[in-house]
Amino acid sequence: MPRKSAASFGFPTVTGSPERLRPPPDLGEPERTIFVDLVAGSKPDAFRNSDTPLLAAYCRAIALERRSAAELGAGDDKALARWERATKAMALSMRLRLSPQARAPNNPSRPSRPEPVTNYYDRMRLEEADSDGTDRG
């Protein structure tokens, strides 16, 4: 009887850090990509489940701003109003502590810990979440 490899047992990986937020199922593809980029680029404990609606609204505002800027560049005058509304909604970045001013430490004399790097597999799990928020693998 051949010996089974350790990988065949499928043990769960325990890192001790909280699980990262997953994009809600109602986000479109551009907004979903923005959501994953923001969550993967932040500390694992930066967001709570209660932040999901606010973060989703912020991602929609970024996507709307990008579309409106492209339409404005193409000569659509009505895109200016949409672009202005989207940029006003981007004030959410301060509430979500995503802007450089919000991330600045209150006491700069304290040594800061290096931010953990999101590995490819965690990012892949975030991107491959089913529409109901469960993992495929």
Side-chain angles (χ1 to χ4, degrees):
M1 173 170 222
R3 182 177 160 185
K4 291 185 178 181
S5 69
S8 68
F9 291 114
F11 290 111
T13 304
V14 178
T15 61
S17 62
E19 189 172 328
R20 293 180 183 269
L21 284 182
R22 298 190 185 273
D26 61 332
L27 286 181
E29 190 57 37
E31 293 91 356
R32 185 179 182 85
T33 303
I34 295 166
F35 189 99
V36 169
D37 288 343
L38 287 173
V39 170
S42 301
K43 295 178 184 177
D45 59 348
F47 302 110
R48 296 184 176 132
N49 285 336
S50 60
D51 296 333
T52 302
L54 191 60
L55 189 56
Y58 181 66
C59 294
R60 287 185 186 102
I62 291 174
L64 177 62
E65 186 275 332
R66 289 178 181 171
R67 282 191 304 268
S68 299
E71 292 170 1
L72 191 60
D76 184 7
D77 294 333
K78 294 179 182 178
L80 180 61
R82 287 190 302 270
W83 180 82
E84 287 175 344
R85 284 195 307 267
T87 54
K88 285 180 185 176
M90 290 188 160
L92 289 172
S93 66
M94 286 296 284
R95 298 285 182 215
L96 291 167
R97 298 186 60 84
L98 294 172
S99 66
Q101 296 90 353
R103 287 191 307 261
N106 293 337
N107 187 357
S109 63
R110 264 189 260 157
S112 62
R113 287 188 260 161
E115 293 186 20
V117 178
T118 305
N119 65 32
Y120 177 76
Y121 299 104
D122 288 341
R123 182 177 178 87
M124 189 172 67
R125 263 186 246 121
L126 287 171
E127 290 176 348
E128 291 181 355
D130 283 337
S131 61
D132 62 354
T134 59
D135 260 342
R136 291 184 195 177

PDB file of all heavy atoms in Angstrom, residues 98-118:
ATOM      1  N   LEU A  98      -8.822  54.690   4.378  1.00  0.00           N
ATOM      2  CA  LEU A  98      -8.088  54.283   3.184  1.00  0.00           C
ATOM      3  C   LEU A  98      -7.199  55.394   2.644  1.00  0.00           C
ATOM      4  O   LEU A  98      -6.298  55.141   1.877  1.00  0.00           O
ATOM      5  CB  LEU A  98      -9.062  53.861   2.080  1.00  0.00           C
ATOM      6  CG  LEU A  98      -9.883  52.618   2.373  1.00  0.00           C
ATOM      7  CD1 LEU A  98     -10.940  52.428   1.297  1.00  0.00           C
ATOM      8  CD2 LEU A  98      -9.000  51.404   2.471  1.00  0.00           C
ATOM      9  N   SER A  99      -7.485  56.620   3.033  1.00  0.00           N
ATOM     10  CA  SER A  99      -6.697  57.733   2.518  1.00  0.00           C
ATOM     11  C   SER A  99      -5.381  57.841   3.291  1.00  0.00           C
ATOM     12  O   SER A  99      -5.281  57.381   4.427  1.00  0.00           O
ATOM     13  CB  SER A  99      -7.487  59.037   2.658  1.00  0.00           C
ATOM     14  OG  SER A  99      -7.673  59.339   4.016  1.00  0.00           O
ATOM     15  N   PRO A 100      -4.371  58.443   2.687  1.00  0.00           N
ATOM     16  CA  PRO A 100      -3.080  58.586   3.391  1.00  0.00           C
ATOM     17  C   PRO A 100      -3.198  59.349   4.710  1.00  0.00           C
ATOM     18  O   PRO A 100      -2.538  59.005   5.680  1.00  0.00           O
ATOM     19  CB  PRO A 100      -2.215  59.352   2.397  1.00  0.00           C
ATOM     20  CG  PRO A 100      -2.809  59.060   1.072  1.00  0.00           C
ATOM     21  CD  PRO A 100      -4.291  58.899   1.304  1.00  0.00           C
ATOM     22  N   GLN A 101      -4.084  60.354   4.771  1.00  0.00           N
ATOM     23  CA  GLN A 101      -4.238  61.119   6.009  1.00  0.00           C
ATOM     24  C   GLN A 101      -4.833  60.254   7.117  1.00  0.00           C
ATOM     25  O   GLN A 101      -4.463  60.366   8.273  1.00  0.00           O
ATOM     26  CB  GLN A 101      -5.148  62.338   5.791  1.00  0.00           C
ATOM     27  CG  GLN A 101      -4.610  63.359   4.845  1.00  0.00           C
ATOM     28  CD  GLN A 101      -5.030  63.085   3.413  1.00  0.00           C
ATOM     29  OE1 GLN A 101      -5.628  62.062   3.097  1.00  0.00           O
ATOM     30  NE2 GLN A 101      -4.678  63.991   2.531  1.00  0.00           N
ATOM     31  N   ALA A 102      -5.770  59.399   6.769  1.00  0.00           N
ATOM     32  CA  ALA A 102      -6.410  58.560   7.781  1.00  0.00           C
ATOM     33  C   ALA A 102      -5.491  57.451   8.264  1.00  0.00           C
ATOM     34  O   ALA A 102      -5.628  56.967   9.377  1.00  0.00           O
ATOM     35  CB  ALA A 102      -7.700  57.962   7.217  1.00  0.00           C
ATOM     36  N   ARG A 103      -4.558  57.011   7.419  1.00  0.00           N
ATOM     37  CA  ARG A 103      -3.645  55.942   7.813  1.00  0.00           C
ATOM     38  C   ARG A 103      -2.453  56.450   8.611  1.00  0.00           C
ATOM     39  O   ARG A 103      -1.720  55.670   9.204  1.00  0.00           O
ATOM     40  CB  ARG A 103      -3.124  55.220   6.573  1.00  0.00           C
ATOM     41  CG  ARG A 103      -4.134  54.338   5.914  1.00  0.00           C
ATOM     42  CD  ARG A 103      -3.478  53.468   4.872  1.00  0.00           C
ATOM     43  NE  ARG A 103      -2.687  54.220   3.914  1.00  0.00           N
ATOM     44  CZ  ARG A 103      -3.099  54.574   2.702  1.00  0.00           C
ATOM     45  NH1 ARG A 103      -4.291  54.230   2.302  1.00  0.00           N
ATOM     46  NH2 ARG A 103      -2.330  55.254   1.907  1.00  0.00           N
ATOM     47  N   ALA A 104      -2.257  57.759   8.634  1.00  0.00           N
ATOM     48  CA  ALA A 104      -1.105  58.319   9.343  1.00  0.00           C
ATOM     49  C   ALA A 104      -1.239  58.018  10.833  1.00  0.00           C
ATOM     50  O   ALA A 104      -2.311  58.161  11.419  1.00  0.00           O
ATOM     51  CB  ALA A 104      -1.028  59.820   9.119  1.00  0.00           C
ATOM     52  N   PRO A 105      -0.154  57.597  11.475  1.00  0.00           N
ATOM     53  CA  PRO A 105      -0.239  57.291  12.907  1.00  0.00           C
ATOM     54  C   PRO A 105      -0.443  58.565  13.718  1.00  0.00           C
ATOM     55  O   PRO A 105       0.011  59.637  13.349  1.00  0.00           O
ATOM     56  CB  PRO A 105       1.112  56.647  13.212  1.00  0.00           C
ATOM     57  CG  PRO A 105       2.026  57.130  12.139  1.00  0.00           C
ATOM     58  CD  PRO A 105       1.172  57.358  10.925  1.00  0.00           C
ATOM     59  N   ASN A 106      -1.163  58.415  14.819  1.00  0.00           N
ATOM     60  CA  ASN A 106      -1.407  59.559  15.697  1.00  0.00           C
ATOM     61  C   ASN A 106      -0.139  59.964  16.435  1.00  0.00           C
ATOM     62  O   ASN A 106       0.046  61.107  16.788  1.00  0.00           O
ATOM     63  CB  ASN A 106      -2.495  59.218  16.713  1.00  0.00           C
ATOM     64  CG  ASN A 106      -3.829  59.018  16.060  1.00  0.00           C
ATOM     65  OD1 ASN A 106      -4.054  59.518  14.966  1.00  0.00           O
ATOM     66  ND2 ASN A 106      -4.695  58.272  16.697  1.00  0.00           N
ATOM     67  N   ASN A 107       0.705  58.995  16.715  1.00  0.00           N
ATOM     68  CA  ASN A 107       1.939  59.247  17.435  1.00  0.00           C
ATOM     69  C   ASN A 107       3.093  58.745  16.568  1.00  0.00           C
ATOM     70  O   ASN A 107       3.490  57.594  16.663  1.00  0.00           O
ATOM     71  CB  ASN A 107       1.912  58.518  18.784  1.00  0.00           C
ATOM     72  CG  ASN A 107       3.091  58.876  19.638  1.00  0.00           C
ATOM     73  OD1 ASN A 107       3.960  59.627  19.201  1.00  0.00           O
ATOM     74  ND2 ASN A 107       3.139  58.329  20.836  1.00  0.00           N
ATOM     75  N   PRO A 108       3.671  59.595  15.727  1.00  0.00           N
ATOM     76  CA  PRO A 108       4.693  59.146  14.801  1.00  0.00           C
ATOM     77  C   PRO A 108       5.993  58.688  15.459  1.00  0.00           C
ATOM     78  O   PRO A 108       6.839  58.093  14.818  1.00  0.00           O
ATOM     79  CB  PRO A 108       4.945  60.347  13.906  1.00  0.00           C
ATOM     80  CG  PRO A 108       4.258  61.492  14.517  1.00  0.00           C
ATOM     81  CD  PRO A 108       3.325  60.981  15.567  1.00  0.00           C
ATOM     82  N   SER A 109       6.167  58.939  16.763  1.00  0.00           N
ATOM     83  CA  SER A 109       7.409  58.526  17.411  1.00  0.00           C
ATOM     84  C   SER A 109       7.419  57.023  17.707  1.00  0.00           C
ATOM     85  O   SER A 109       8.468  56.452  17.982  1.00  0.00           O
ATOM     86  CB  SER A 109       7.632  59.312  18.699  1.00  0.00           C
ATOM     87  OG  SER A 109       6.599  59.021  19.621  1.00  0.00           O
ATOM     88  N   ARG A 110       6.233  56.401  17.673  1.00  0.00           N
ATOM     89  CA  ARG A 110       6.159  54.960  17.901  1.00  0.00           C
ATOM     90  C   ARG A 110       6.657  54.207  16.678  1.00  0.00           C
ATOM     91  O   ARG A 110       6.311  54.553  15.556  1.00  0.00           O
ATOM     92  CB  ARG A 110       4.717  54.539  18.138  1.00  0.00           C
ATOM     93  CG  ARG A 110       4.351  54.445  19.578  1.00  0.00           C
ATOM     94  CD  ARG A 110       2.997  53.814  19.699  1.00  0.00           C
ATOM     95  NE  ARG A 110       2.063  54.912  19.913  1.00  0.00           N
ATOM     96  CZ  ARG A 110       0.787  54.866  19.658  1.00  0.00           C
ATOM     97  NH1 ARG A 110       0.245  53.795  19.155  1.00  0.00           N
ATOM     98  NH2 ARG A 110       0.032  55.903  19.888  1.00  0.00           N
ATOM     99  N   PRO A 111       7.428  53.154  16.877  1.00  0.00           N
ATOM    100  CA  PRO A 111       7.830  52.371  15.713  1.00  0.00           C
ATOM    101  C   PRO A 111       6.632  51.613  15.157  1.00  0.00           C
ATOM    102  O   PRO A 111       5.819  51.076  15.910  1.00  0.00           O
ATOM    103  CB  PRO A 111       8.879  51.404  16.253  1.00  0.00           C
ATOM    104  CG  PRO A 111       8.618  51.332  17.714  1.00  0.00           C
ATOM    105  CD  PRO A 111       8.007  52.651  18.108  1.00  0.00           C
ATOM    106  N   SER A 112       6.498  51.610  13.851  1.00  0.00           N
ATOM    107  CA  SER A 112       5.360  50.921  13.243  1.00  0.00           C
ATOM    108  C   SER A 112       5.764  49.517  12.815  1.00  0.00           C
ATOM    109  O   SER A 112       6.910  49.268  12.470  1.00  0.00           O
ATOM    110  CB  SER A 112       4.852  51.705  12.039  1.00  0.00           C
ATOM    111  OG  SER A 112       5.852  51.780  11.064  1.00  0.00           O
ATOM    112  N   ARG A 113       4.777  48.629  12.852  1.00  0.00           N
ATOM    113  CA  ARG A 113       5.022  47.259  12.412  1.00  0.00           C
ATOM    114  C   ARG A 113       4.876  47.201  10.899  1.00  0.00           C
ATOM    115  O   ARG A 113       4.011  47.866  10.332  1.00  0.00           O
ATOM    116  CB  ARG A 113       3.999  46.313  13.033  1.00  0.00           C
ATOM    117  CG  ARG A 113       4.245  46.084  14.504  1.00  0.00           C
ATOM    118  CD  ARG A 113       3.331  44.993  14.986  1.00  0.00           C
ATOM    119  NE  ARG A 113       2.205  45.640  15.644  1.00  0.00           N
ATOM    120  CZ  ARG A 113       1.051  45.083  15.880  1.00  0.00           C
ATOM    121  NH1 ARG A 113       0.818  43.867  15.511  1.00  0.00           N
ATOM    122  NH2 ARG A 113       0.096  45.742  16.488  1.00  0.00           N
ATOM    123  N   PRO A 114       5.674  46.391  10.252  1.00  0.00           N
ATOM    124  CA  PRO A 114       5.507  46.267   8.799  1.00  0.00           C
ATOM    125  C   PRO A 114       4.176  45.587   8.480  1.00  0.00           C
ATOM    126  O   PRO A 114       3.737  44.698   9.197  1.00  0.00           O
ATOM    127  CB  PRO A 114       6.682  45.391   8.359  1.00  0.00           C
ATOM    128  CG  PRO A 114       7.131  44.695   9.598  1.00  0.00           C
ATOM    129  CD  PRO A 114       6.762  45.572  10.755  1.00  0.00           C
ATOM    130  N   GLU A 115       3.527  46.053   7.416  1.00  0.00           N
ATOM    131  CA  GLU A 115       2.243  45.488   7.033  1.00  0.00           C
ATOM    132  C   GLU A 115       2.459  44.131   6.380  1.00  0.00           C
ATOM    133  O   GLU A 115       3.361  43.970   5.559  1.00  0.00           O
ATOM    134  CB  GLU A 115       1.522  46.415   6.064  1.00  0.00           C
ATOM    135  CG  GLU A 115       1.104  47.722   6.708  1.00  0.00           C
ATOM    136  CD  GLU A 115       0.266  48.568   5.774  1.00  0.00           C
ATOM    137  OE1 GLU A 115      -0.297  48.021   4.816  1.00  0.00           O
ATOM    138  OE2 GLU A 115       0.188  49.764   6.021  1.00  0.00           O
ATOM    139  N   PRO A 116       1.632  43.145   6.743  1.00  0.00           N
ATOM    140  CA  PRO A 116       1.794  41.828   6.131  1.00  0.00           C
ATOM    141  C   PRO A 116       1.401  41.870   4.662  1.00  0.00           C
ATOM    142  O   PRO A 116       0.483  42.582   4.269  1.00  0.00           O
ATOM    143  CB  PRO A 116       0.836  40.942   6.926  1.00  0.00           C
ATOM    144  CG  PRO A 116      -0.157  41.879   7.496  1.00  0.00           C
ATOM    145  CD  PRO A 116       0.549  43.179   7.702  1.00  0.00           C
ATOM    146  N   VAL A 117       2.105  41.113   3.873  1.00  0.00           N
ATOM    147  CA  VAL A 117       1.850  41.053   2.442  1.00  0.00           C
ATOM    148  C   VAL A 117       0.790  39.970   2.189  1.00  0.00           C
ATOM    149  O   VAL A 117       0.869  38.886   2.744  1.00  0.00           O
ATOM    150  CB  VAL A 117       3.149  40.718   1.684  1.00  0.00           C
ATOM    151  CG1 VAL A 117       2.895  40.593   0.202  1.00  0.00           C
ATOM    152  CG2 VAL A 117       4.206  41.762   1.963  1.00  0.00           C
ATOM    153  N   THR A 118      -0.186  40.290   1.377  1.00  0.00           N
ATOM    154  CA  THR A 118      -1.206  39.308   1.021  1.00  0.00           C
ATOM    155  C   THR A 118      -0.598  38.341   0.017  1.00  0.00           C
ATOM    156  O   THR A 118      -0.105  38.758  -1.027  1.00  0.00           O
ATOM    157  CB  THR A 118      -2.423  40.000   0.387  1.00  0.00           C
ATOM    158  OG1 THR A 118      -2.893  40.989   1.277  1.00  0.00           O
ATOM    159  CG2 THR A 118      -3.510  39.001   0.081  1.00  0.00           C
TER     160      THR A 118
END
